[in-house]
Amino acid sequence: MTESVSAPEAYAVLGREFYDRDPLRVAPELLGKLVIRGRRVGRIVEVEAYRGSEDPASHAYRGKTRRNATMFGPPGRLYVYFTYGMHWCANAVCWPDGRAGAVLLRALAPEQGLDEMSAMRPKARHTRDLCSGPAKLCQAFGLDGSFDGADLVSGAGDIVIASDGVAPPRSPGRSERIGVTPSTGVRWRWWWPGDPNVSRPSAGKRVPERRDRHARPGAQRKAQPAAD
DNA sequence: TTGAGGATTCTC
DNA sequence: AGAATCCTCAAA
């Protein structure tokens, strides 16, 4: 029994095997799961998959460095990186030890411990401002570089991801990933439809491409790498 | 040692 | 639309 993480409800912490798969499969299944740190609980409503060595947009694409080393380690750990000179972002590491892969946690729906989250994010005016972005949720949960490598399975790292029985949405929102340059053309971002905490509810990337607005469903069938 | 750029957020 | 802000990495 670790007392570092409180579990007042019937939560089942996800096992190692959940993460020991292709990030493309792990990502959509993380929707609806709970991130738990002490009293703070948030439900995952937006994620992105990064496929390491096979993914030009991944930090791990050009090999192992000190920064991305956690991604090359065992699955089920937290990969936390620093960016833009001021922000931390958190990922769940996937694939077996030695093979880099991760799922970026982009947004959570705050469920418990909102007072603690608000204290960490004084600029937030609404509940939906607390965790509606990868760096925002790290602020709300107090995640920084000291959490890089934290084990999400054992709970020894003061943070876990668990299930309370809520299933992922049958038809999740899906788009290209946000902020990656250049866009690789793959739709590896998933979100919970209609959830107000999703960072960018409507589209994938905000770029000068109006054509997409009027494209019909069958008209723009891009190459979709084996996702399902 | 240096310089360019970044899986973002906030404000104007 | 632009600033904030500093770590990381590859190259010199």
Side-chain angles (χ1 to χ4, degrees):
Chain A
M1 285 303 119
T2 63
E3 300 183 37
S4 53
V5 172
S6 64
E9 307 292 333
Y11 296 148
V13 175
L14 302 183
R16 191 83 53 201
E17 66 283 356
F18 179 89
Y19 303 96
D20 193 0
R21 297 179 291 158
D22 190 327
L24 291 187
R25 290 214 293 194
V26 175
E29 288 187 32
L30 274 174
L31 294 177
K33 300 300 188 294
L34 301 172
V35 175
I36 305 173
R37 182 183 179 206
R39 286 178 45 232
R40 282 168 283 191
V41 179
R43 193 177 301 275
I44 300 173
V45 295
E46 183 184 350
V47 293
E48 283 177 357
Y50 288 85
R51 296 181 91 216
S53 312
E54 309 166 21
D55 181 358
S58 172
H59 291 163
Y61 184 58
R62 291 168 200 288
K64 188 176 181 178
T65 67
R66 195 157 87 193
R67 179 206 207 190
N68 65 27
T70 298
M71 252 202 290
F72 287 82
R77 307 230 281 228
L78 201 62
Y79 166 51
V80 182
Y81 67 87
F82 185 74
T83 190
Y84 291 109
M86 63 195 89
H87 295 307
W88 297 98
C89 296
N91 304 249
V93 174
C94 301
W95 265 336
D97 193 356
R99 186 176 187 182
V103 174
L104 173 67
L105 305 178
R106 284 201 57 93
L108 310 177
E111 296 231 333
Q112 295 178 42
L114 303 211
D115 54 335
E116 287 188 16
M117 297 183 196
S118 299
M120 300 297 284
R121 283 191 45 72
K123 289 174 184 172
R125 296 210 205 171
H126 310 273
T127 297
R128 63 174 178 274
D129 295 327
L130 292 175
C131 300
S132 54
K136 293 180 187 178
L137 69 88
C138 281
Q139 286 179 27
F141 277 72
L143 303 179
D144 59 19
S146 67
F147 281 80
D148 184 38
D151 193 345
L152 296 169
V153 176
S154 70
D158 193 31
I159 181 169
V160 296
I161 297 181
S163 170
D164 64 349
V166 172
R170 184 174 299 279
S171 299
R174 190 171 173 188
S175 77
E176 292 188 9
R177 293 170 294 183
I178 297 192
V180 299
T181 54
S183 173
T184 53
V186 293
R187 293 157 59 220
W188 291 352
R189 169 182 178 242
W190 291 265
W191 69 88
W192 194 287
D195 190 283
N197 300 280
V198 172
S199 65
R200 284 165 180 71
S202 56
K205 184 102 162 71
R206 227 165 57 77
V207 293
E209 282 184 335
R210 295 182 172 277
R211 289 175 294 182
D212 287 347
R213 293 175 175 272
H214 302 295
R216 284 167 303 159
Q220 64 156 37
R221 195 144 304 175
K222 287 187 177 178
Q224 273 184 40
D228 304 36

